[in-house]
């Protein structure tokens, strides 16, 4: 596996060198495998995770054992927002959906850096707002939209966090994420494949027609994507040695 760098996480990449470089000593690269559990409901959170190539699913498990995803976190964000929002525990689980790498930071260090009230704090707060939008939109989507629309939304959000159009994911796992019956995912995926939007073989999905996928998705995907871009659009990522971000929130 190719070794990642912390700057492959968009939040960390948005920091100027003066704020980014001191954090490097506190970031530990970790390999995350599918199914790894980062947080259990009610457990004490020891680390925050900044994914670079991994994707983590935040989901709630009912007493019956049924569960559904409330949000996904990839290289656009951080897992563990409750650490800087005033809590040490969370009522949701955080489970690795797509294998890859992340950088973890000890909870005490994250709180200390957050309290400095610099750009890092503002980025974390604005990302948290975007995450809340994703959670709220997921709730609306599961209540009012078809399984096919939910599947399209989920595929698009996952694709946005990956470097290619290939997903290693079983229909059973997708059904678990969406909180629907596996048969519903099988039928929806079959329709998308017959339309030439995706190709599917066991454990592997390739998106052949992204525009077609977007056309079949409900408005929830666009709402989540637009909100993330709106909240972080005023930050110019470090490129070509330019370490000065344009941060409207600081003006």
């Amino acid at each position: 596996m190719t070794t990642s760098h912390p700057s492959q996480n968009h939040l960390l990449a948005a920091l100027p060198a003066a704020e980014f470089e001191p954090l490097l000593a506190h970031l530990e690269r970790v390999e995350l495998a599918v199914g790894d559990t980062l947080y259990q409901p009610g457990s004490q959170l020891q680390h925050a995770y900044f994914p670079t190539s991994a994707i983590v699913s935040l989901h709630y498990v009912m007493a019956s054992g049924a569960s559904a995803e409330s949000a996904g976190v990839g290289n656009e964000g951080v897992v563990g927002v409750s650490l800087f929002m005033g809590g040490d525990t969370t009522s949701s689980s955080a489970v690795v959906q797509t294998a890859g790498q992340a950088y973890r930071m000890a909870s005490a260090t994250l709180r200390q850096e957050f309290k400095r009230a610099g750009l890092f704090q503002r980025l974390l707060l604005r990302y948290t707002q975007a995450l809340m939008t994703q959670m709220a939109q997921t709730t609306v989507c599961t209540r009012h939209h078809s399984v096919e629309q939910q599947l399209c939304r989920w595929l698009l959000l996952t694709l946005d966090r990956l470097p290619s159009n290939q997903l290693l994911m079983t229909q059973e796992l997708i059904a678990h994420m969406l909180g629907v019956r596996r048969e519903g995912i099988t039928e929806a995926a079959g329709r998308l494949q017959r339309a030439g939007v995706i190709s599917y073989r066991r454990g592997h999905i390739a998106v052949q027609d992204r525009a077609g996928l977007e056309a079949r998705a409900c408005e929830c995907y666009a709402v989540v994507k637009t909100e993330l871009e709106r909240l972080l659009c005023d930050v110019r990522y470090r490129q070509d040695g330019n370490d000065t971000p344009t941060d409207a929130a600081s003006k």
Side-chain angles (χ1 to χ4, degrees):
M1 178 181 292
T2 303
T3 300
S4 64
H5 188 271
S7 62
Q8 289 175 249
N9 177 276
H10 296 178
L11 293 180
L12 297 176
L15 296 170
E19 292 193 45
F20 176 73
E21 291 175 0
L23 293 179
L24 290 176
H26 302 288
L27 292 168
E28 176 190 2
R29 187 177 70 246
V30 290
E31 300 284 347
L32 301 179
V34 174
D36 283 354
T37 300
L38 305 184
Y39 302 147
Q40 291 277 14
S43 63
Q44 197 81 10
L45 306 187
Q46 302 298 324
H47 298 89
Y49 294 81
F50 296 85
T52 51
S53 55
I55 301 176
V56 179
S57 172
L58 309 181
H59 64 273
Y60 287 85
V61 181
M62 308 301 290
S64 65
S67 68
E69 181 181 79
S70 60
V73 182
N75 58 6
E76 82 287 355
V78 59
V79 181
V81 298
S82 60
L83 286 171
F84 55 82
M85 294 298 289
D88 293 323
T89 64
T90 177
S91 58
S92 65
S93 297
V95 180
V96 178
Q97 163 197 317
T98 299
Q101 297 178 346
Y103 284 80
R104 71 181 186 182
M105 178 183 291
S107 57
T109 302
L110 182 71
R111 292 193 190 95
Q112 179 181 347
E113 293 299 324
F114 183 81
K115 290 178 181 178
R116 294 182 190 277
L119 176 59
F120 191 42
Q121 182 193 74
R122 295 191 293 278
L123 283 170
L124 290 175
L125 288 175
R126 279 183 278 159
Y127 170 71
T128 300
Q129 183 176 340
L131 184 64
M132 291 169 61
T133 297
Q134 185 184 168
M135 290 177 170
Q137 206 67 37
T138 297
T139 300
V140 173
C141 190
T142 56
R143 177 65 179 84
H144 294 287
H145 295 142
S146 68
V147 172
E148 182 175 325
Q149 289 174 314
Q150 293 179 54
L151 175 59
C152 291
R153 168 185 58 81
W154 188 88
L155 288 172
L156 287 166
L157 288 172
T158 301
L159 278 179
D160 287 346
R161 301 171 176 125
L162 296 173
S164 72
N165 68 335
Q166 311 288 319
L167 290 78
L168 298 177
M169 187 70 56
T170 65
Q171 291 184 3
E172 183 175 0
L173 185 54
I174 295 175
H176 179 71
M177 297 290 181
L178 296 181
V180 300
R181 296 171 62 246
R182 183 183 183 278
E183 291 79 3
I185 295 297
T186 299
E187 293 173 4
R191 287 192 294 269
L192 293 176
Q193 181 159 254
R194 289 190 294 273
V197 176
I198 67 170
S199 62
Y200 177 81
R201 65 178 187 275
R202 183 168 180 79
H204 183 273
I205 299 174
V207 176
Q208 308 292 351
D209 179 8
R210 178 170 179 127
L213 194 62
E214 291 181 354
R216 290 170 178 264
C218 51
E219 69 268 25
C220 298
Y221 166 68
V223 170
V224 172
K225 183 177 177 64
T226 299
E227 183 70 353
L228 180 64
E229 292 176 346
R230 181 186 73 81
L231 289 166
L232 300 180
C233 70
D234 59 342
V235 177
R236 185 171 64 238
Y237 291 176
R238 291 181 288 113
Q239 294 178 347
D240 301 323
N242 185 351
D243 294 330
T244 304
T246 300
D247 181 11
S250 65
K251 296 179 180 178

PDB file of all heavy atoms in Angstrom, residues 70-97:
ATOM      1  N   SER A  70     -25.360   7.064   9.707  1.00  0.00           N
ATOM      2  CA  SER A  70     -25.823   8.449   9.795  1.00  0.00           C
ATOM      3  C   SER A  70     -24.945   9.371   8.973  1.00  0.00           C
ATOM      4  O   SER A  70     -25.386  10.435   8.518  1.00  0.00           O
ATOM      5  CB  SER A  70     -25.839   8.911  11.256  1.00  0.00           C
ATOM      6  OG  SER A  70     -24.535   8.833  11.828  1.00  0.00           O
ATOM      7  N   ALA A  71     -23.684   8.985   8.752  1.00  0.00           N
ATOM      8  CA  ALA A  71     -22.764   9.795   7.950  1.00  0.00           C
ATOM      9  C   ALA A  71     -21.519   8.982   7.646  1.00  0.00           C
ATOM     10  O   ALA A  71     -21.213   7.995   8.326  1.00  0.00           O
ATOM     11  CB  ALA A  71     -22.384  11.082   8.684  1.00  0.00           C
ATOM     12  N   GLY A  72     -20.790   9.394   6.630  1.00  0.00           N
ATOM     13  CA  GLY A  72     -19.501   8.813   6.309  1.00  0.00           C
ATOM     14  C   GLY A  72     -18.445   9.896   6.410  1.00  0.00           C
ATOM     15  O   GLY A  72     -18.721  11.079   6.199  1.00  0.00           O
ATOM     16  N   VAL A  73     -17.219   9.501   6.731  1.00  0.00           N
ATOM     17  CA  VAL A  73     -16.114  10.451   6.846  1.00  0.00           C
ATOM     18  C   VAL A  73     -14.928   9.904   6.072  1.00  0.00           C
ATOM     19  O   VAL A  73     -14.484   8.782   6.308  1.00  0.00           O
ATOM     20  CB  VAL A  73     -15.709  10.685   8.313  1.00  0.00           C
ATOM     21  CG1 VAL A  73     -14.582  11.715   8.396  1.00  0.00           C
ATOM     22  CG2 VAL A  73     -16.906  11.129   9.145  1.00  0.00           C
ATOM     23  N   GLY A  74     -14.426  10.703   5.148  1.00  0.00           N
ATOM     24  CA  GLY A  74     -13.243  10.332   4.385  1.00  0.00           C
ATOM     25  C   GLY A  74     -12.190  11.416   4.496  1.00  0.00           C
ATOM     26  O   GLY A  74     -12.055  12.068   5.535  1.00  0.00           O
ATOM     27  N   ASN A  75     -11.463  11.626   3.396  1.00  0.00           N
ATOM     28  CA  ASN A  75     -10.355  12.575   3.445  1.00  0.00           C
ATOM     29  C   ASN A  75     -10.793  14.029   3.555  1.00  0.00           C
ATOM     30  O   ASN A  75      -9.969  14.929   3.649  1.00  0.00           O
ATOM     31  CB  ASN A  75      -9.441  12.394   2.233  1.00  0.00           C
ATOM     32  CG  ASN A  75     -10.189  12.558   0.913  1.00  0.00           C
ATOM     33  OD1 ASN A  75     -11.373  12.913   0.879  1.00  0.00           O
ATOM     34  ND2 ASN A  75      -9.509  12.298  -0.189  1.00  0.00           N
ATOM     35  N   GLU A  76     -12.107  14.258   3.544  1.00  0.00           N
ATOM     36  CA  GLU A  76     -12.603  15.624   3.697  1.00  0.00           C
ATOM     37  C   GLU A  76     -12.736  16.038   5.155  1.00  0.00           C
ATOM     38  O   GLU A  76     -12.982  17.217   5.443  1.00  0.00           O
ATOM     39  CB  GLU A  76     -13.967  15.782   3.010  1.00  0.00           C
ATOM     40  CG  GLU A  76     -15.176  15.314   3.799  1.00  0.00           C
ATOM     41  CD  GLU A  76     -15.325  13.789   3.910  1.00  0.00           C
ATOM     42  OE1 GLU A  76     -14.525  13.058   3.296  1.00  0.00           O
ATOM     43  OE2 GLU A  76     -16.247  13.345   4.613  1.00  0.00           O
ATOM     44  N   GLY A  77     -12.599  15.101   6.107  1.00  0.00           N
ATOM     45  CA  GLY A  77     -12.957  15.454   7.469  1.00  0.00           C
ATOM     46  C   GLY A  77     -12.182  14.765   8.567  1.00  0.00           C
ATOM     47  O   GLY A  77     -11.048  14.315   8.395  1.00  0.00           O
ATOM     48  N   VAL A  78     -12.837  14.659   9.712  1.00  0.00           N
ATOM     49  CA  VAL A  78     -12.233  14.084  10.906  1.00  0.00           C
ATOM     50  C   VAL A  78     -13.281  13.249  11.634  1.00  0.00           C
ATOM     51  O   VAL A  78     -14.464  13.589  11.649  1.00  0.00           O
ATOM     52  CB  VAL A  78     -11.686  15.196  11.837  1.00  0.00           C
ATOM     53  CG1 VAL A  78     -12.781  16.163  12.260  1.00  0.00           C
ATOM     54  CG2 VAL A  78     -11.003  14.615  13.073  1.00  0.00           C
ATOM     55  N   VAL A  79     -12.837  12.152  12.222  1.00  0.00           N
ATOM     56  CA  VAL A  79     -13.692  11.304  13.045  1.00  0.00           C
ATOM     57  C   VAL A  79     -13.372  11.605  14.499  1.00  0.00           C
ATOM     58  O   VAL A  79     -12.219  11.492  14.923  1.00  0.00           O
ATOM     59  CB  VAL A  79     -13.436   9.807  12.759  1.00  0.00           C
ATOM     60  CG1 VAL A  79     -14.351   8.934  13.599  1.00  0.00           C
ATOM     61  CG2 VAL A  79     -13.614   9.512  11.278  1.00  0.00           C
ATOM     62  N   GLY A  80     -14.403  12.004  15.254  1.00  0.00           N
ATOM     63  CA  GLY A  80     -14.192  12.307  16.665  1.00  0.00           C
ATOM     64  C   GLY A  80     -14.539  13.734  17.029  1.00  0.00           C
ATOM     65  O   GLY A  80     -13.920  14.320  17.918  1.00  0.00           O
ATOM     66  N   VAL A  81     -15.551  14.323  16.367  1.00  0.00           N
ATOM     67  CA  VAL A  81     -15.892  15.728  16.618  1.00  0.00           C
ATOM     68  C   VAL A  81     -16.358  15.958  18.055  1.00  0.00           C
ATOM     69  O   VAL A  81     -16.231  17.073  18.574  1.00  0.00           O
ATOM     70  CB  VAL A  81     -16.966  16.229  15.625  1.00  0.00           C
ATOM     71  CG1 VAL A  81     -16.455  16.176  14.202  1.00  0.00           C
ATOM     72  CG2 VAL A  81     -18.265  15.450  15.773  1.00  0.00           C
ATOM     73  N   SER A  82     -16.880  14.928  18.717  1.00  0.00           N
ATOM     74  CA  SER A  82     -17.348  15.118  20.091  1.00  0.00           C
ATOM     75  C   SER A  82     -16.206  15.504  21.031  1.00  0.00           C
ATOM     76  O   SER A  82     -16.442  16.133  22.074  1.00  0.00           O
ATOM     77  CB  SER A  82     -18.036  13.847  20.605  1.00  0.00           C
ATOM     78  OG  SER A  82     -17.151  12.748  20.594  1.00  0.00           O
ATOM     79  N   LEU A  83     -14.978  15.187  20.654  1.00  0.00           N
ATOM     80  CA  LEU A  83     -13.833  15.511  21.504  1.00  0.00           C
ATOM     81  C   LEU A  83     -13.647  17.011  21.673  1.00  0.00           C
ATOM     82  O   LEU A  83     -13.253  17.481  22.736  1.00  0.00           O
ATOM     83  CB  LEU A  83     -12.548  14.891  20.935  1.00  0.00           C
ATOM     84  CG  LEU A  83     -12.403  13.385  21.102  1.00  0.00           C
ATOM     85  CD1 LEU A  83     -11.213  12.869  20.310  1.00  0.00           C
ATOM     86  CD2 LEU A  83     -12.259  13.031  22.580  1.00  0.00           C
ATOM     87  N   PHE A  84     -13.901  17.775  20.605  1.00  0.00           N
ATOM     88  CA  PHE A  84     -13.727  19.227  20.733  1.00  0.00           C
ATOM     89  C   PHE A  84     -15.066  19.958  20.859  1.00  0.00           C
ATOM     90  O   PHE A  84     -15.096  21.181  20.973  1.00  0.00           O
ATOM     91  CB  PHE A  84     -12.923  19.800  19.552  1.00  0.00           C
ATOM     92  CG  PHE A  84     -13.472  19.491  18.190  1.00  0.00           C
ATOM     93  CD1 PHE A  84     -14.497  20.241  17.645  1.00  0.00           C
ATOM     94  CD2 PHE A  84     -12.937  18.453  17.435  1.00  0.00           C
ATOM     95  CE1 PHE A  84     -14.996  19.968  16.392  1.00  0.00           C
ATOM     96  CE2 PHE A  84     -13.437  18.171  16.173  1.00  0.00           C
ATOM     97  CZ  PHE A  84     -14.463  18.936  15.651  1.00  0.00           C
ATOM     98  N   MET A  85     -16.164  19.186  20.871  1.00  0.00           N
ATOM     99  CA  MET A  85     -17.474  19.800  21.065  1.00  0.00           C
ATOM    100  C   MET A  85     -17.947  19.665  22.521  1.00  0.00           C
ATOM    101  O   MET A  85     -19.077  20.009  22.845  1.00  0.00           O
ATOM    102  CB  MET A  85     -18.497  19.162  20.125  1.00  0.00           C
ATOM    103  CG  MET A  85     -18.226  19.447  18.649  1.00  0.00           C
ATOM    104  SD  MET A  85     -18.295  21.197  18.231  1.00  0.00           S
ATOM    105  CE  MET A  85     -20.063  21.488  18.375  1.00  0.00           C
ATOM    106  N   GLY A  86     -17.072  19.153  23.383  1.00  0.00           N
ATOM    107  CA  GLY A  86     -17.384  19.124  24.798  1.00  0.00           C
ATOM    108  C   GLY A  86     -17.701  17.762  25.380  1.00  0.00           C
ATOM    109  O   GLY A  86     -18.023  17.655  26.566  1.00  0.00           O
ATOM    110  N   GLY A  87     -17.582  16.711  24.596  1.00  0.00           N
ATOM    111  CA  GLY A  87     -17.891  15.374  25.108  1.00  0.00           C
ATOM    112  C   GLY A  87     -16.723  14.420  24.942  1.00  0.00           C
ATOM    113  O   GLY A  87     -15.885  14.586  24.063  1.00  0.00           O
ATOM    114  N   ASP A  88     -16.659  13.430  25.790  1.00  0.00           N
ATOM    115  CA  ASP A  88     -15.604  12.413  25.706  1.00  0.00           C
ATOM    116  C   ASP A  88     -16.114  11.101  25.146  1.00  0.00           C
ATOM    117  O   ASP A  88     -15.341  10.181  24.910  1.00  0.00           O
ATOM    118  CB  ASP A  88     -15.015  12.146  27.097  1.00  0.00           C
ATOM    119  CG  ASP A  88     -14.256  13.351  27.637  1.00  0.00           C
ATOM    120  OD1 ASP A  88     -13.598  14.036  26.835  1.00  0.00           O
ATOM    121  OD2 ASP A  88     -14.341  13.593  28.851  1.00  0.00           O
ATOM    122  N   THR A  89     -17.438  11.004  24.971  1.00  0.00           N
ATOM    123  CA  THR A  89     -18.026   9.783  24.441  1.00  0.00           C
ATOM    124  C   THR A  89     -18.981  10.136  23.305  1.00  0.00           C
ATOM    125  O   THR A  89     -19.286  11.301  23.065  1.00  0.00           O
ATOM    126  CB  THR A  89     -18.802   9.029  25.532  1.00  0.00           C
ATOM    127  OG1 THR A  89     -19.905   9.844  25.967  1.00  0.00           O
ATOM    128  CG2 THR A  89     -17.914   8.708  26.726  1.00  0.00           C
ATOM    129  N   THR A  90     -19.450   9.113  22.625  1.00  0.00           N
ATOM    130  CA  THR A  90     -20.414   9.306  21.554  1.00  0.00           C
ATOM    131  C   THR A  90     -21.427   8.178  21.591  1.00  0.00           C
ATOM    132  O   THR A  90     -21.111   7.066  22.049  1.00  0.00           O
ATOM    133  CB  THR A  90     -19.717   9.339  20.175  1.00  0.00           C
ATOM    134  OG1 THR A  90     -20.699   9.461  19.142  1.00  0.00           O
ATOM    135  CG2 THR A  90     -18.901   8.083  19.939  1.00  0.00           C
ATOM    136  N   SER A  91     -22.625   8.450  21.134  1.00  0.00           N
ATOM    137  CA  SER A  91     -23.671   7.423  21.138  1.00  0.00           C
ATOM    138  C   SER A  91     -23.652   6.579  19.874  1.00  0.00           C
ATOM    139  O   SER A  91     -24.415   5.625  19.757  1.00  0.00           O
ATOM    140  CB  SER A  91     -25.050   8.079  21.290  1.00  0.00           C
ATOM    141  OG  SER A  91     -25.268   9.016  20.240  1.00  0.00           O
ATOM    142  N   SER A  92     -22.794   6.926  18.920  1.00  0.00           N
ATOM    143  CA  SER A  92     -22.714   6.188  17.664  1.00  0.00           C
ATOM    144  C   SER A  92     -21.458   5.333  17.622  1.00  0.00           C
ATOM    145  O   SER A  92     -20.542   5.491  18.439  1.00  0.00           O
ATOM    146  CB  SER A  92     -22.724   7.144  16.473  1.00  0.00           C
ATOM    147  OG  SER A  92     -21.566   7.955  16.487  1.00  0.00           O
ATOM    148  N   SER A  93     -21.415   4.423  16.655  1.00  0.00           N
ATOM    149  CA  SER A  93     -20.221   3.628  16.395  1.00  0.00           C
ATOM    150  C   SER A  93     -19.476   4.230  15.210  1.00  0.00           C
ATOM    151  O   SER A  93     -20.075   4.863  14.341  1.00  0.00           O
ATOM    152  CB  SER A  93     -20.599   2.181  16.064  1.00  0.00           C
ATOM    153  OG  SER A  93     -21.237   1.555  17.150  1.00  0.00           O
ATOM    154  N   ALA A  94     -18.177   4.030  15.179  1.00  0.00           N
ATOM    155  CA  ALA A  94     -17.358   4.447  14.039  1.00  0.00           C
ATOM    156  C   ALA A  94     -16.628   3.207  13.535  1.00  0.00           C
ATOM    157  O   ALA A  94     -15.755   2.675  14.225  1.00  0.00           O
ATOM    158  CB  ALA A  94     -16.368   5.534  14.444  1.00  0.00           C
ATOM    159  N   VAL A  95     -17.010   2.748  12.337  1.00  0.00           N
ATOM    160  CA  VAL A  95     -16.482   1.506  11.793  1.00  0.00           C
ATOM    161  C   VAL A  95     -15.905   1.772  10.400  1.00  0.00           C
ATOM    162  O   VAL A  95     -16.500   2.518   9.607  1.00  0.00           O
ATOM    163  CB  VAL A  95     -17.583   0.432  11.700  1.00  0.00           C
ATOM    164  CG1 VAL A  95     -17.036  -0.868  11.128  1.00  0.00           C
ATOM    165  CG2 VAL A  95     -18.194   0.183  13.077  1.00  0.00           C
ATOM    166  N   VAL A  96     -14.763   1.177  10.111  1.00  0.00           N
ATOM    167  CA  VAL A  96     -14.105   1.393   8.828  1.00  0.00           C
ATOM    168  C   VAL A  96     -14.915   0.740   7.710  1.00  0.00           C
ATOM    169  O   VAL A  96     -15.184  -0.462   7.737  1.00  0.00           O
ATOM    170  CB  VAL A  96     -12.671   0.839   8.837  1.00  0.00           C
ATOM    171  CG1 VAL A  96     -12.008   1.029   7.468  1.00  0.00           C
ATOM    172  CG2 VAL A  96     -11.853   1.535   9.924  1.00  0.00           C
ATOM    173  N   GLN A  97     -15.297   1.552   6.740  1.00  0.00           N
ATOM    174  CA  GLN A  97     -16.080   1.100   5.585  1.00  0.00           C
ATOM    175  C   GLN A  97     -15.179   0.729   4.410  1.00  0.00           C
ATOM    176  O   GLN A  97     -15.416  -0.247   3.704  1.00  0.00           O
ATOM    177  CB  GLN A  97     -17.036   2.218   5.171  1.00  0.00           C
ATOM    178  CG  GLN A  97     -17.628   2.087   3.783  1.00  0.00           C
ATOM    179  CD  GLN A  97     -18.216   3.406   3.318  1.00  0.00           C
ATOM    180  OE1 GLN A  97     -18.886   4.106   4.067  1.00  0.00           O
ATOM    181  NE2 GLN A  97     -17.954   3.762   2.071  1.00  0.00           N
TER     182      GLN A  97
END
